[in-house]
Amino acid sequence: MSEVPAIAAEDATVVLDGTTLLAPTTFSVTPGEFWCLTGSNGSGKTTLLRAFLGSRRLTGGAVRVRGETVDLARPRHRRLVASLVEPVPVARDMTLREQVTLVAASWYGNTTTTVERAEEVIGRLGLSVLGERFPTQLSSGQLQLFSLALTLVRPADVVLLDEPERHLDTDRVDLVATLLAERAERGTSFLVATHEAAVVEACDGVVELG
């Protein structure tokens, strides 16, 4: 019996007021694979990610996560999928470390392991020295890494990211690409919209839109 794809699209299509936002698209990502969505602006990358989140309704075809139709009303779906597609809400009066730990605790419970998970993600993204800063004290690149930390500290079978390289310099783009590839090797599936060659080079497969 073949393995159920972690992420799958079958002729997924979005047309709005006669304008095609996403041309029919078909692909599948197996568990533990890291795939990229590429294409010009307006080709449908973000639209497709939103379809997998359930925030964009398809006008044709289907998208599935772990073989199931996307449904944000189901707690199981919300636990399966973590994303950085829309801006992540942050608290202005909590430090970076406090917020990453809080998100971890909301999923794993308030345990020593939870703190360790938070510290691992913070450290892996090079944010340890910024742990006591507030969001207003971070640069745009640091805020992007902070948003990635809030996303990646969660348990998830599938992670959806829209241009994770945004505002990052070359060294940090390479750091993020390597981290995603390592996480995929441990079983998480990624679908990442990107314009960055270093991210594409690190992935297992590419869907080119447009």
Side-chain angles (χ1 to χ4, degrees):
M1 181 180 297
S2 60
E3 188 171 25
V4 175
I7 310 167
E10 300 170 7
D11 289 325
T13 308
V14 177
V15 179
L16 182 64
D17 297 331
T19 299
T20 299
L21 303 183
L22 175 67
T25 301
T26 299
F27 67 95
S28 63
V29 178
T30 60
E33 285 190 332
F34 167 16
W35 278 51
C36 287
L37 299 174
T38 63
S40 60
N41 290 333
S43 61
K45 299 186 299 296
T46 302
T47 297
L48 182 55
L49 291 176
R50 288 173 175 161
F52 279 107
L53 286 174
S55 60
R56 168 63 76 177
R57 186 182 298 275
L58 296 175
T59 53
V63 293
R64 294 184 174 84
V65 175
R66 288 288 193 179
E68 300 176 2
T69 302
V70 173
D71 183 358
L72 285 175
R74 290 185 308 190
R76 170 175 164 76
H77 179 77
R78 295 197 299 271
R79 189 173 183 86
L80 280 174
V81 181
S83 68
L84 180 53
V85 177
E86 309 297 347
V88 176
V90 299
R92 295 171 58 88
D93 58 350
M94 294 178 66
T95 67
L96 180 157
R97 177 169 283 107
E98 287 171 341
Q99 292 186 65
V100 175
T101 304
L102 178 62
V103 171
S106 71
W107 291 96
Y108 293 106
N110 190 17
T111 67
T112 302
T113 301
T114 298
V115 174
E116 291 173 353
R117 290 177 188 274
E119 290 297 331
E120 179 185 4
V121 172
I122 291 169
R124 193 67 184 80
L125 286 167
L127 295 172
S128 295
V129 297
L130 304 175
E132 304 312 314
R133 291 193 186 182
F134 297 96
T136 54
Q137 298 173 310
L138 302 178
S139 68
S140 57
Q142 290 165 348
L143 278 170
Q144 178 68 2
L145 292 173
F146 177 36
S147 295
L148 284 167
L150 293 171
T151 303
L152 296 176
V153 77
R154 282 189 45 184
D157 288 2
V158 170
V159 177
L160 309 173
L161 302 174
D162 192 4
E163 297 185 20
E165 71 274 9
R166 191 178 288 125
H167 306 306
L168 301 183
D169 61 25
T170 300
D171 288 344
R172 287 173 176 77
V173 169
D174 290 341
L175 172 67
V176 169
T178 299
L179 176 58
L180 300 186
E182 291 175 355
R183 178 93 172 249
E185 288 178 356
R186 299 202 300 267
T188 302
S189 301
F190 286 88
L191 186 61
V192 180
T194 185
H195 293 285
E196 178 57 58
V199 178
V200 175
E201 289 172 3
C203 77
D204 300 304
V206 175
V207 180
E208 185 167 0
L209 302 178

